[in-house]
């Protein structure tokens, strides 16, 4: 469900053009030096032959350089590329973990092969078993959900806030039953969930809160990094995320029961913190979700770039919200005044009843203005995927339903706000290769098109 197409890939020519000297600072993406866009909303639409609202373009989006390459070379000089530190020779995973803890203070931090793996480990370590319900959002990557199903738990979908696109705590509360064990709060597109309300609910109902921070590196809820508030934090290092290592993930927890269990569930049940390489004696069934030293080396350098990347995206996103506020028929994304969103992408909604024309026509007009817009995010809410509709997760069957351990019927699930968010939303890429003037140009394009489409 990922949409990595929010940015064009970095090409060899980008590297050459950027020049090594310019690549030393973090973040790497050099902002385009675009001229401020004309603010004339009344000009003819570009699709009808008028001037384009977006005049500049993003700079080269260069995401790594000599520093990552040097760290990779250091790793490759080691005798072993295995993550475990037992023999003391391997340093990259330890370096990554140290830096991650400085970013998101959690006692137990385990590197994994992907964000999906991190989420599976989190759900397994939280003790989710057959028939246990886990409440989450229907607008997310499928990686949020697969771990629940593999542990034979039941994903329960709660509706979302109209402009936050994140879990609505009141809707979560309505989904709580005696079988509910956990909530997975996804900080969608880099916007923090309402964590105070979610944690209060969880405390009242004794639920575990897992934060899915895959799209929210660098985001802060009331000053705290996302992932440092719930019981477990999960991050992805997949290529298109704010920082990456091609693939990879992190799962972290300070919970005294869950934290020490993470490692086992990421490493075939081995108790490396205790008795050691013990998969023949382990009591837990677990997969191999390990990350190698090479990925950890790369990711450790990427983590050093994070603050620059996050601060830039946060500022650009706020500017774009400001630029489109008050435009007719436009619903900008909501972001708490005290929070920092880091905009994995920028998503806004059309109030279609206040506009003439369709979303497709709006997107087409925006693209003609030079704004790289596209319609929606994932095609349908997760519960509408075919294997949810036919309850056929495991070779066409769902054993826990056949055994009567759940009465869940996904054909009956409806989250009207989530459906509307997908039906009326428009996505615009946002990243650190862009500058203020370029993003203001996108804002001007949205205002201009909205004015022309206003009913
Ligand atoms: C919200 C969310 N959760 C989980 C994942 C899964 O991460 P990965 O692709 O690293 O498995 C993603 C990836 O796009 C995501 O966006």
């Amino acid at each position: 469900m990922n949409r990595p197409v929010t940015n064009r890939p970095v090409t060899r020519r980008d590297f050459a053009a950027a020049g090594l000297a310019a690549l030393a600072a973090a973040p790497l993406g050099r902002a385009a030096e675009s001229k401020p866009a004309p603010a004339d909303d009344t000009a003819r639409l570009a699709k009808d032959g008028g001037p384009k609202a977006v005049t500049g373009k993003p700079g080269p989006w260069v995401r790594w350089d000599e520093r990552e390459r040097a760290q990779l070379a250091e790793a490759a000089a080691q005798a072993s590329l295995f993550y475990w530190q037992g023999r003391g020779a391997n340093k990259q995973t330890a370096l990554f973990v140290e830096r991650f803890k400085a970013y998101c203070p959690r006692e137990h931090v385990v590197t994994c092969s992907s964000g999906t793996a991190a989420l599976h480990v989190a759900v397994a370590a939280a003790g989710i078993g057959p028939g246990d319900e886990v409440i989450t959002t229907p607008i997310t990557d499928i990686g949020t959900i697969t771990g629940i199903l593999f542990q034979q738990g039941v994903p329960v979908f709660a509706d979302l806030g109209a402009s936050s696109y994140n879990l609505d705590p009141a809707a979560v509360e309505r989904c709580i039953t005696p079988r509910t064990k956990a909530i997975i709060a996804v900080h969608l597109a880099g916007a923090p969930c309402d964590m105070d309300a979610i944690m209060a609910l969880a405390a009242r109902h004794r639920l575990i809160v897992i934060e899915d921070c895959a799209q929210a590196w660098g985001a802060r809820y009331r000053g705290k990094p996302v992932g440092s508030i719930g019981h477990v934090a999960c991050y992805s290092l997949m290529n298109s995320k704010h920082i990456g290592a091609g693939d990879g993930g992190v799962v972290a927890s300070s919970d005294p029961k869950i934290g020490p269990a993470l490692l086992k569930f990421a490493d075939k049940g081995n108790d490396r913190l205790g008795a050691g390489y013990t998969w023949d004696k382990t009591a837990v069934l677990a997969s191999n979700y390990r990350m190698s030293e090479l990925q950890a080396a790369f990711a450790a350098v990427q983590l050093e770039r994070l603050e620059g990347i996050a601060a830039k995206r946060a500022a650009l996103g706020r500017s774009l919200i400001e630029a489109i506020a008050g435009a007719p028929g436009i619903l900008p994304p909501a972001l708490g005044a005290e929070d920092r969103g880091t905009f994995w992408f920028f998503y806004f909604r059309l109030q279609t009843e206040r506009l003439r024309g369709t979303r497709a026509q709006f997107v087409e007009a925006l693209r003609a203005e030079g704004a790289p817009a596209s319609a929606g995010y994932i095609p349908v809410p997760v519960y509408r995927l075919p294997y949810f509709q036919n309850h056929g997760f495991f070779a066409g069957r769902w054993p826990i339903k056949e055994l009567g351990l759940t009465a869940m019927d996904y054909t009956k699930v409806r989250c009207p706000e989530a459906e509307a968010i997908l039906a009326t939303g428009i996505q615009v890429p946002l990243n650190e290769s862009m500058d203020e003037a370029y993003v203001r140009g996108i804002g001007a394009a949205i205002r201009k098109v909205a004015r022309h489409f206003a009913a």
Side-chain angles (χ1 to χ4, degrees):
M1 290 300 150
N2 211 332
R3 284 280 187 97
V5 286
T6 51
N7 286 285
R8 69 184 176 84
V10 178
T11 64
R12 274 169 197 272
R13 195 175 327 150
D14 290 338
F15 272 100
L20 283 181
L23 301 185
L28 280 169
R30 283 193 319 167
E33 286 164 18
S34 40
K35 295 195 193 80
D40 181 8
D41 302 357
T42 58
R44 224 159 18 123
L45 289 180
K47 80 175 181 55
D48 299 329
K52 285 188 179 205
V54 183
T55 49
K57 58 179 172 61
W61 193 28
V62 184
R63 302 173 65 202
W64 53 82
D65 70 3
E66 288 312 315
R67 286 161 60 195
E68 279 82 357
R69 289 192 268 278
Q71 200 68 36
L72 280 174
E74 184 185 303
Q78 294 174 179
S80 160
L81 295 176
F82 192 61
Y83 84 106
W84 184 244
Q85 305 301 301
R87 282 184 293 271
N90 302 345
K91 300 200 174 66
Q92 311 304 327
T93 304
L95 180 66
F96 175 83
V97 168
E98 181 192 316
R99 288 182 183 168
F100 183 88
K101 285 183 173 180
Y103 157 67
C104 181
R106 303 265 86 173
E107 203 175 317
H108 300 268
V109 175
V110 174
T111 51
C112 318
S113 52
S114 68
T116 304
L119 281 147
H120 189 178
V121 169
V123 166
I128 302 305
D132 291 342
E133 295 177 0
V134 180
I135 299 171
T136 192
T137 165
I139 301 186
T140 187
D141 180 85
I142 193 65
T144 307
I145 314 294
T146 50
I148 307 171
L149 290 165
F150 278 120
Q151 291 308 113
Q152 307 307 322
V154 182
V156 175
F157 296 101
D159 211 351
L160 309 178
S163 305
S164 68
Y165 322 135
N166 283 331
L167 283 176
D168 168 6
V172 172
E173 184 145 38
R174 287 194 292 275
C175 291
I176 294 174
T177 75
R179 307 227 57 165
T180 308
K181 288 281 169 56
I183 299 169
I184 302 185
V186 177
H187 305 294
L188 198 78
C193 292
D194 182 352
M195 290 307 293
D196 281 354
I198 290 172
M199 294 310 291
L201 257 185
R204 268 207 308 284
H205 296 273
R206 300 166 144 261
L207 307 177
I208 293 163
V209 175
I210 298 169
E211 289 181 74
D212 180 346
C213 312
Q215 301 185 3
W217 281 100
R220 294 203 199 113
Y221 176 75
R222 310 214 166 150
K224 294 186 209 139
V226 293
S228 68
I229 302 154
H231 301 96
V232 196
C234 299
Y235 278 86
S236 165
L237 287 159
M238 184 264 172
N239 195 59
S240 72
K241 300 301 187 292
H242 299 70
I243 60 170
D247 255 321
V250 194
V251 58
S253 177
S254 295
D255 183 274
K257 264 174 66 193
I258 301 172
L262 296 175
L263 195 64
K264 282 190 215 174
F265 283 104
D267 190 358
K268 294 191 284 190
N270 287 309
D271 181 19
R272 292 185 200 273
L273 292 172
Y277 181 59
T278 53
W279 66 270
D280 54 330
K281 302 180 193 70
T282 189
V284 302
L285 174 68
S287 193
N288 173 359
Y289 284 148
R290 298 182 304 235
M291 180 201 266
S292 87
E293 283 274 280
L294 288 171
Q295 284 159 295
F298 198 94
V301 182
Q302 288 270 294
L303 253 184
E304 289 202 304
R305 303 189 189 281
L306 175 59
E307 183 46 34
I309 293 169
K312 181 87 188 275
R313 289 191 186 218
L316 293 175
R318 285 267 184 209
S319 282
L320 192 45
I321 290 177
E322 248 172 55
I324 64 174
I330 300 296
L331 208 55
L335 187 61
E338 300 163 61
D339 300 339
R340 177 162 89 165
T342 54
F343 297 90
W344 189 49
F345 55 83
F346 187 95
Y347 197 82
F348 65 97
R349 290 179 64 185
L350 303 181
Q351 293 169 308
T352 39
E353 69 288 356
R354 296 183 57 197
L355 297 167
R356 284 176 284 114
T358 63
R359 176 175 64 171
Q361 288 165 333
F362 200 101
V363 167
E364 192 198 333
L366 278 179
R367 296 184 73 86
E369 297 294 335
S374 56
Y377 170 44
I378 55 172
V380 288
V382 172
Y383 54 80
R384 287 198 188 269
L385 294 176
Y387 51 70
F388 278 86
Q389 289 295 296
N390 62 22
H391 306 102
F393 303 112
F394 300 98
R397 301 176 62 182
W398 196 16
I400 57 168
K401 193 163 166 68
E402 291 174 15
L403 289 168
L405 293 173
T406 181
M408 174 59 77
D409 180 350
Y410 290 109
T411 66
K412 303 232 160 68
V413 174
R414 290 286 175 276
C415 294
E417 203 61 67
E419 308 238 350
I421 288 167
L422 293 177
T424 61
I426 294 182
Q427 191 184 144
V428 173
L430 206 146
N431 66 61
E432 56 282 4
S433 73
M434 299 170 181
D435 74 356
E436 187 70 28
Y438 175 71
V439 165
R440 290 226 160 239
I442 294 176
I446 296 169
R447 276 201 321 271
K448 182 179 169 192
V449 174
R451 202 184 151 100
H452 280 266
F453 276 62

